[in-house]
Amino acid sequence: MRIVIMGCGRTGSMLALLMSHAGHQVTVIERSQDALMRLGKKHACTIVVGDGLDEDTLRRAEVDKADAFIACTNGDNTNLMVVQMARELFGVQRVAAKVNDPVRAEAYREYGIFTVTSGAILAGYLRDWLLGNPAQNIEHYNQFYPELRQLLED
């Protein structure tokens, strides 16, 4: 599988290493040379230094040939915008965005973009662990909990 990952922070670098180690072709887009050090010296990833919001950078990363595109920078807006670009401009069908804001993540999920909200996943998993409940699948945790919505609206 050809995978393009934008962002080489903790999440992006771990995902890149896991997928390349499993034999997939991985391209990492990152602006910071320092962040690329997270990949170590023996990685098999292709590196494209640049801004993923720039179409030329996406072309250099050959996003048009990708089977999947994952945006996992610190910025929700950046991640959501670039996955839309990957899907709409370059035809990548399998796109995912790391989104910290669960309300925004839910809205984009309804638009058909797979979003991952680590805070919601971790909170739900820890809640079940604390209560002695069995672990659920990621979709169960990767949502804005209705009970939280009600608490926040009061």
Side-chain angles (χ1 to χ4, degrees), residues 5 12-22 26 38-40 42-45:
I5 300 170
S13 61
M14 284 194 285
L15 179 60
L17 291 171
L18 286 169
M19 296 307 288
S20 65
H21 181 71
V26 177
R38 287 186 176 98
L39 295 172
K42 297 180 182 178
H43 69 83
C45 301

Side-chain angles (χ1 to χ4, degrees), residues 71-139:
C72 45
T73 72
N74 293 351
D76 287 2
N77 291 335
T78 298
N79 291 343
L80 291 166
M81 183 176 285
V82 79
V83 297
Q84 289 178 82
M85 291 172 67
R87 189 167 73 176
E88 303 301 325
L89 296 176
F90 295 94
V92 182
Q93 295 302 305
R94 195 165 194 173
V95 297
K98 176 182 147 191
V99 182
N100 296 311
D101 178 358
V103 174
R104 188 177 301 162
E106 184 177 47
Y108 277 86
R109 221 175 283 123
E110 291 172 7
Y111 180 64
I113 294 173
F114 182 72
T115 59
V116 177
T117 305
S118 58
I121 294 168
L122 185 57
Y125 185 82
L126 288 172
R127 176 200 59 198
D128 286 347
W129 176 77
L130 284 167
L131 298 175
N133 296 332
Q136 304 290 318
N137 66 35
I138 191 170
E139 290 299 327

Side-chain angles (χ1 to χ4, degrees), residues 17-91:
L17 291 171
L18 286 169
M19 296 307 288
S20 65
H21 181 71
H24 300 282
Q25 291 180 299
V26 177
T27 299
V28 175
I29 300 171
E30 176 57 57
R31 290 185 293 181
S32 166
Q33 291 283 349
D34 291 339
L36 292 168
M37 291 192 301
R38 287 186 176 98
L39 295 172
K41 296 179 182 176
K42 297 180 182 178
H43 69 83
C45 301
T46 300
I47 303 300
V48 174
V49 177
D51 185 347
L53 287 171
D54 179 57
E55 283 186 51
D56 290 334
T57 301
L58 296 175
R59 281 185 186 69
R60 284 190 291 125
E62 298 184 329
V63 171
D64 60 320
K65 297 177 183 172
D67 299 303
F69 183 93
I70 295 97
C72 45
T73 72
N74 293 351
D76 287 2
N77 291 335
T78 298
N79 291 343
L80 291 166
M81 183 176 285
V82 79
V83 297
Q84 289 178 82
M85 291 172 67
R87 189 167 73 176
E88 303 301 325
L89 296 176
F90 295 94

